[in-house]
Amino acid sequence: MRRPGGRPRPKGNDPARSAAGGGSELSAPKAESERVVYLPPALVNMLREHIETYGVERDLFWAAGRKLMTGSTADFRWRQARQRAGVECKIHDLRYFYASGLIAAGCDVVTVQRALGHSSATVTLNYYAHLWPSAEDKTREAAATLMQVAS
């Protein structure tokens, strides 16, 4: 369905929707994907500086005309930034990078599942199981530690 002016309406699972009178309203995200995102202090400081300089309505969460940013707007802005920076990384690659970083830091499957908003640990394992160390890797690492302690 199209809005007046020919632009498509946001999809049903989009948390940012047009409100009566031209503003925006928030709705619940798709099935059980709401979550807490734990941010490192350096990122919190960067966000705080951005908000102090520009407010929350400029480029961070909002698109033009005080409309909440949708997924398609975020994708568009990412493509622009990527082209300016000369990188080929897709926005979803950042999600994979985040997940793989959590796994490399020793986070367990449930922690990664919750951070990514997956409906179950099985979903997380379907995508990322190959990144967790195997039992053999853990055995070798434990043996190496024992050798260091013993020597």
Side-chain angles (χ1 to χ4, degrees), residues 3 7 18 32 42 51 59 64 67 71 77 92 98 126 130 135:
R3 293 184 198 164
R7 292 180 303 160
S18 294
E32 299 182 30
I51 291 168
D59 298 334
K67 300 225 182 236
R77 288 188 180 173
H92 200 76
Y98 179 60
N126 285 341
H130 64 284

Side-chain angles (χ1 to χ4, degrees), residues 90-103:
K90 295 180 182 148
I91 199 164
H92 200 76
D93 295 339
L94 298 177
R95 182 175 171 85
Y96 189 89
F97 175 77
Y98 179 60
S100 62
L102 293 176
I103 295 165

